[in-house]
Amino acid sequence: MSDLPESRRATRPRRSRPRTVLWVVLALILLLLLAVAWVGVRAVMAKNALQESVAHVDALKTQLTSGDTPGAERTASELEQSASHARSLTSDPVWGAAQYVPVLGTNLRAVRQISVIVDDVATDAVKPVAGVLGDIDVDAFKPKNGRIDLAPLVKAQPAVAKATATLATATREADRIDTSGTLSAVTGAVDQLRASLSSVSTQADTANRAVALAPSMLGDGGAKHYLVLFQNNAELRAGGGIPGAVGELTVDDGAISLGRQASTSDFAIADQPVLPLGTDTQGLYGGITGEYIQDVTLTPRFETSAQLAREMWKQKYGETVDGVLAIDPVTLGYILKATGPVQLATGDTLTSDNAVQLLLRDAYAKYPDPTVQDAFFASAASAVFSKVSEGGFDPKAFIAALGTGVDEGRVRLWSANADEQDQLAGTAVSGDLPTSGKDTQRFGVYLNDATGAKMDYYLDKTVGLGSQVCRKDGRPTWVVEVTLKNTAPADAATSLPEYVTGGGEYGVTPGAIRTNVAVYAPTSGVYVQASQDGRVASPQTATDGKYPVAQFQTLLSPGESTTLKVSFLGPASAARTPVDVTSTPGINVNDTKHVAIDCEDPVG
């Protein structure tokens, strides 16, 4: 073999090189197949773990709703385990490298991000809150001997704050997930995650504010005094109704007591506003807003109404309250579902079924003397309050009743403490003007009685809203539609008490209803045109701060109705943004209807 020609000896290594390359290629293919298999298997396992997490979340909702605290705590631990397992399955080096493979990598990266977010929420949001659930049973909100135990709320504050911060971060991270090249199943999962996080994060923020505020506002650091405005929807104001009666509520370390009560007719009309009024408020609602306590809610800005009422109370009684609460008879009706019927000093029985009719209609015929009416209303408020403060109610039903009242804009709260008011700002209870954002453009429709009577019990209101791009520049046309109807009997002038019809004292024929209607657009809107019953209208156009406003006055005899339409122009950035509307709460609850827009004649 050693005698072989040199040329043949030189070629021997070259024969093995193709085989070496082949083995290398085969090894790489095998490794790739193994990696694909590894990622595929772990992807299936991660999918199963995430599905388990979803099932645990559904179970948690049921358990929390039913008050099954031990079950919720167990499910929270199981959720943490399944979420952690999904995260670990998508965090190994092979998965990490596969995230950069064209096409496939985008999907793997999205699944990895989903797993991380779900794990963070389970560990830093769900589990901490579940850990304090045992101390915050709904029965804890039921006063015992007139006092609410505040300790569980104080203990829960850190956990709820941590959960809220985690959910806010998770919401931002979910919004950053790139789904431009993902499969439909992955895109759907990301969209579902975003929607769920957005909803839960908003709810958590509200809960966090409530848990942070409640102890302080319920007198944890010392007694607090609140002015309560009992609003009357039979005589509408933008904020709900005239404050027909007022009272002072005192809370001290969870102990609640109702002190001085008064009729707003006891308050004189001041010669000038008790506090400086903004030019916009003066122009839209008049100086009377700050001169008479029944008119402080002419403006839909509850912070302004509350400050004016607080100052009027101080000037009359020399007492400075720490905040102002507003509530209406419809909400009292909701609360009576939780308390059951209450007996009044007059001998009447107030129930959830008859509260609105008795307080806002029948009382005027039964007790024609306004002084007796005031005593009747004070008796009703006192009776319901006494039953609540004594713990005579179903806690779940009570919380649901207040929640419904808040959602419908019937419950408002303002604090004179700047830090507390900052926490209240932007919540459903704050009574702010509608705030628009990237998700929704919000409008406001506010009604003020101009009859000078209690005829709004018979006023039906329907609000409609529409958005349509009609211009080449992409700017949307927004249309707000308001229909009012006087449902009073044809013989209202004689069949209804004079106190209800007004008796023509303010220039309105008895039985007719005169109403001022203010339509607010988002701050980015521009007023275009308006109509009433299909004819061109010329409403008062103004601004309230940065909000464009169109204000009308209507006059309806019994059986008559009218429809107002207002058109605004929005920015191109809001062309596809959903629209929503807030409206003065009346006797009835009305859903918002969709308005189809004719681009040729939007308000025709």
Side-chain angles (χ1 to χ4, degrees), residues 231-236 240-241 328-331 334 355-361 364 408 410 447 454-461 487 584-590:
Q231 298 190 102
N232 188 330
N233 315 85
E235 187 172 348
L236 287 175
D328 71 1
V330 178
T331 305
Y334 297 154
V356 172
Q357 180 174 316
L358 182 57
L359 293 171
L360 299 181
R361 191 190 74 174
Y364 298 115
E408 294 176 3
R410 304 180 185 280
L447 275 57
K454 302 295 184 289
M455 285 296 296
D456 288 328
Y457 182 89
Y458 301 97
L459 184 68
D460 269 2
K461 172 193 65 180
T487 65
T584 296
I587 303 299
N588 302 309
V589 179
N590 299 111

Side-chain angles (χ1 to χ4, degrees), residues 44-235:
V44 172
M45 295 171 66
K47 177 188 174 213
N48 292 337
L50 288 171
Q51 287 177 333
E52 286 180 25
S53 299
V54 172
H56 292 325
V57 170
D58 291 338
L60 264 173
K61 291 178 181 177
T62 302
Q63 290 162 337
L64 292 174
T65 302
S66 64
D68 181 8
T69 301
E73 291 178 355
R74 288 193 302 271
T75 302
S77 295
E78 292 169 356
L79 171 61
E80 184 185 30
Q81 293 173 9
S82 61
S84 177
H85 187 42
R87 183 172 188 161
S88 67
L89 287 168
T90 59
S91 62
D92 64 277
V94 175
W95 190 288
Q99 290 181 145
Y100 298 98
V101 174
V103 182
L104 177 64
T106 303
N107 293 279
L108 296 179
R109 190 158 49 251
V111 172
R112 159 71 178 163
Q113 290 171 297
I114 292 173
S115 301
V116 169
I117 291 171
V118 172
D119 185 40
D120 286 344
V121 169
T123 303
D124 296 329
V126 176
K127 190 173 182 181
V129 172
V132 298
L133 283 177
D135 297 322
I136 312 183
D137 190 274
V138 288
D139 285 333
F141 297 101
K142 190 173 181 177
K144 294 178 177 61
N145 299 319
R147 181 180 177 275
I148 299 172
D149 183 9
L150 302 178
L153 288 173
V154 175
K155 182 181 177 182
Q157 286 176 353
V160 176
K162 181 179 181 180
T164 303
T166 297
L167 286 165
T169 300
T171 300
R172 291 192 296 270
E173 293 300 322
D175 287 340
R176 293 192 185 106
I177 298 176
D178 181 11
T179 58
S180 57
T182 54
L183 297 171
S184 60
V186 175
T187 302
V190 173
D191 289 342
Q192 182 180 1
L193 178 67
R194 287 171 175 164
S196 298
L197 283 174
S198 177
S199 173
V200 174
S201 183
T202 299
Q203 294 171 3
D205 180 66
T206 300
N208 182 44
R209 295 186 193 212
V211 170
L213 278 170
S216 171
M217 297 194 76
L218 289 173
D220 182 47
K224 293 286 185 73
H225 305 276
Y226 298 95
L227 181 63
V228 183
L229 308 180
F230 298 101
Q231 298 190 102
N232 188 330
N233 315 85
E235 187 172 348

Side-chain angles (χ1 to χ4, degrees), residues 142-503:
K142 190 173 181 177
K144 294 178 177 61
N145 299 319
R147 181 180 177 275
I148 299 172
D149 183 9
L150 302 178
L153 288 173
V154 175
K155 182 181 177 182
Q157 286 176 353
V160 176
K162 181 179 181 180
T164 303
T166 297
L167 286 165
T169 300
T171 300
R172 291 192 296 270
E173 293 300 322
D175 287 340
R176 293 192 185 106
I177 298 176
D178 181 11
T179 58
S180 57
T182 54
L183 297 171
S184 60
V186 175
T187 302
V190 173
D191 289 342
Q192 182 180 1
L193 178 67
R194 287 171 175 164
S196 298
L197 283 174
S198 177
S199 173
V200 174
S201 183
T202 299
Q203 294 171 3
D205 180 66
T206 300
N208 182 44
R209 295 186 193 212
V211 170
L213 278 170
S216 171
M217 297 194 76
L218 289 173
D220 182 47
K224 293 286 185 73
H225 305 276
Y226 298 95
L227 181 63
V228 183
L229 308 180
F230 298 101
Q231 298 190 102
N232 188 330
N233 315 85
E235 187 172 348
L236 287 175
R237 293 290 183 266
I242 63 164
V246 291
E248 185 180 8
L249 188 70
T250 298
V251 289
D252 188 1
D253 193 26
I256 310 171
S257 60
L258 185 62
R260 187 196 304 270
Q261 289 182 271
S263 167
T264 49
S265 61
D266 297 334
F267 290 73
I269 300 177
D271 295 331
Q272 60 184 12
V274 296
L275 293 174
L277 290 181
T279 303
D280 293 345
T281 301
Q282 289 260 20
L284 282 164
Y285 306 112
I288 192 67
T289 306
E291 296 165 1
Y292 187 37
I293 197 167
Q294 288 192 358
D295 289 322
V296 297
T297 47
L298 281 169
T299 170
R301 295 178 179 269
F302 185 69
E303 182 173 4
T304 299
S305 302
Q307 291 173 342
L308 291 168
R310 177 180 185 243
E311 181 61 24
M312 292 175 185
W313 181 267
K314 177 183 177 181
Q315 290 186 12
K316 183 165 182 64
Y317 296 111
E319 300 167 348
T320 301
V321 296
D322 298 293
V324 179
L325 170 69
I327 192 169
D328 71 1
V330 178
T331 305
L332 285 182
Y334 297 154
I335 292 174
L336 284 163
K337 293 179 181 178
T339 65
V342 296
Q343 292 298 125
L344 307 186
T346 56
D348 296 284
T349 299
L350 196 63
T351 72
S352 61
D353 293 328
N354 73 3
V356 172
Q357 180 174 316
L358 182 57
L359 293 171
L360 299 181
R361 191 190 74 174
D362 296 350
Y364 298 115
K366 194 170 186 179
Y367 308 109
D369 184 343
T371 303
V372 178
Q373 292 171 8
D374 292 341
F376 172 74
F377 294 135
S379 172
S382 180
V384 175
F385 169 80
S386 294
K387 197 160 187 180
V388 170
S389 63
E390 292 166 2
F393 62 90
D394 178 337
K396 290 182 183 177
F398 180 74
I399 292 172
L402 280 182
T404 301
V406 169
D407 290 343
E408 294 176 3
R410 304 180 185 280
V411 180
R412 295 285 185 247
L413 180 61
W414 171 82
S415 173
N417 180 289
D419 291 337
E420 291 178 350
Q421 184 58 25
D422 284 345
Q423 289 278 12
L424 287 170
T427 65
V429 79
S430 66
D432 298 331
L433 292 181
T435 302
S436 298
K438 65 177 183 179
D439 297 326
T440 309
Q441 294 293 315
R442 291 184 171 86
F443 297 75
V445 173
Y446 303 108
L447 275 57
N448 279 302
D449 173 73
T451 314
K454 302 295 184 289
M455 285 296 296
D456 288 328
Y457 182 89
Y458 301 97
L459 184 68
D460 269 2
K461 172 193 65 180
T462 302
V463 178
L465 195 59
S467 177
Q468 179 72 42
V469 176
C470 297
R471 296 162 50 109
K472 293 181 179 179
D473 60 8
R475 299 181 68 179
T477 295
W478 293 325
V479 172
V480 182
E481 180 182 280
V482 183
T483 298
L484 302 178
K485 182 176 182 179
N486 182 346
T487 65
D491 62 350
T494 55
S495 65
L496 297 180
E498 184 176 313
Y499 189 81
V500 173
T501 66

Side-chain angles (χ1 to χ4, degrees), residues 505-522:
E505 183 176 354
Y506 295 98
V508 178
T509 302
I513 302 175
R514 186 160 63 191
T515 309
N516 293 332
V517 183
V519 179
Y520 282 56

